Amino acid sequence: MTVKQIHNVNEALLIMRHFIDLSARLLPFLDELQRKRRPTPKEMVDRERIIDVYENYSFDTCTSESLLDSNILELIQDSFSNITACQCSKDYNKSQRKLVRFMLEYKRLNDNWGYATAN
């Protein structure tokens, strides 16, 4: 592998990690906003901005599998889709399960990144 290729992989990992960290903050917030019965105008704007982030961010879910040996991007995509599709309590339960799966995988990866940084 050349120095340029290593640099490209490192850059891709950094971008992916930032997106994953951002998702760990935004998806629970989006879930909370979706559950609000009477959101304020600011909350409605926040909700739309978060939805725009995920609808306009194109990524291949296989990328995280090849670079991180994790399906975290697929979990993010599933969580987002389920959160935004919620119409009833059954939907909310399903979206919660998807969000928990994502957060557990995020915690596992974050712990691994912490170990790698410590070494």
Side-chain angles (χ1 to χ4, degrees), residues 39-89:
T40 65
K42 182 187 180 324
E43 289 170 333
M44 290 171 56
V45 168
D46 289 345
R47 180 184 167 277
E48 291 307 314
R49 284 183 176 166
I50 294 169
I51 289 171
D52 284 346
V53 165
Y54 288 97
E55 287 181 343
N56 292 316
Y57 194 91
S58 61
F59 54 86
D60 182 3
T61 57
C62 295
T63 305
S64 66
E65 291 175 18
S66 62
L67 292 176
L68 299 173
D69 196 26
S70 169
N71 66 335
I72 190 100
L73 291 180
E74 182 180 341
L75 294 172
I76 290 170
Q77 192 173 52
D78 287 349
S79 294
F80 171 74
S81 297
N82 279 275
I83 290 168
T84 56
C86 285
Q87 299 295 322
C88 63
S89 62

Side-chain angles (χ1 to χ4, degrees), residues 4 18 29 44 47 67 73 87 98 106 110:
K4 176 84 170 151
H18 282 296
F29 184 54
M44 290 171 56
R47 180 184 167 277
L67 292 176
L73 291 180
Q87 299 295 322
K98 298 283 187 177
Y106 171 70
N110 208 30

Side-chain angles (χ1 to χ4, degrees):
M1 196 177 247
T2 68
V3 172
K4 176 84 170 151
Q5 290 170 323
I6 292 170
H7 176 73
N8 289 341
V9 168
N10 285 337
E11 190 172 323
L13 285 169
L14 183 64
I15 291 167
M16 190 179 313
R17 185 170 175 186
H18 282 296
F19 179 71
I20 293 167
D21 287 336
L22 180 68
S23 294
R25 290 188 304 272
L26 290 181
L27 289 175
F29 184 54
L30 178 60
D31 182 58
E32 180 183 322
L33 292 174
Q34 285 288 102
R35 293 173 184 267
K36 293 250 180 179
R37 290 182 190 249
R38 293 187 180 152
T40 65
K42 182 187 180 324
E43 289 170 333
M44 290 171 56
V45 168
D46 289 345
R47 180 184 167 277
E48 291 307 314
R49 284 183 176 166
I50 294 169
I51 289 171
D52 284 346
V53 165
Y54 288 97
E55 287 181 343
N56 292 316
Y57 194 91
S58 61
F59 54 86
D60 182 3
T61 57
C62 295
T63 305
S64 66
E65 291 175 18
S66 62
L67 292 176
L68 299 173
D69 196 26
S70 169
N71 66 335
I72 190 100
L73 291 180
E74 182 180 341
L75 294 172
I76 290 170
Q77 192 173 52
D78 287 349
S79 294
F80 171 74
S81 297
N82 279 275
I83 290 168
T84 56
C86 285
Q87 299 295 322
C88 63
S89 62
K90 183 180 175 183
D91 292 340
Y92 285 123
N93 290 336
K94 183 178 179 182
S95 75
Q96 279 302 131
R97 286 191 303 275
K98 298 283 187 177
L99 186 57
V100 166
R101 286 181 56 210
F102 160 64
M103 294 305 290
L104 288 172
E105 180 63 7
Y106 171 70
K107 182 179 177 349
R108 185 188 74 79
L109 286 174
N110 208 30
D111 288 347
N112 288 346
W113 293 330
Y115 296 140
T117 304
N119 290 326

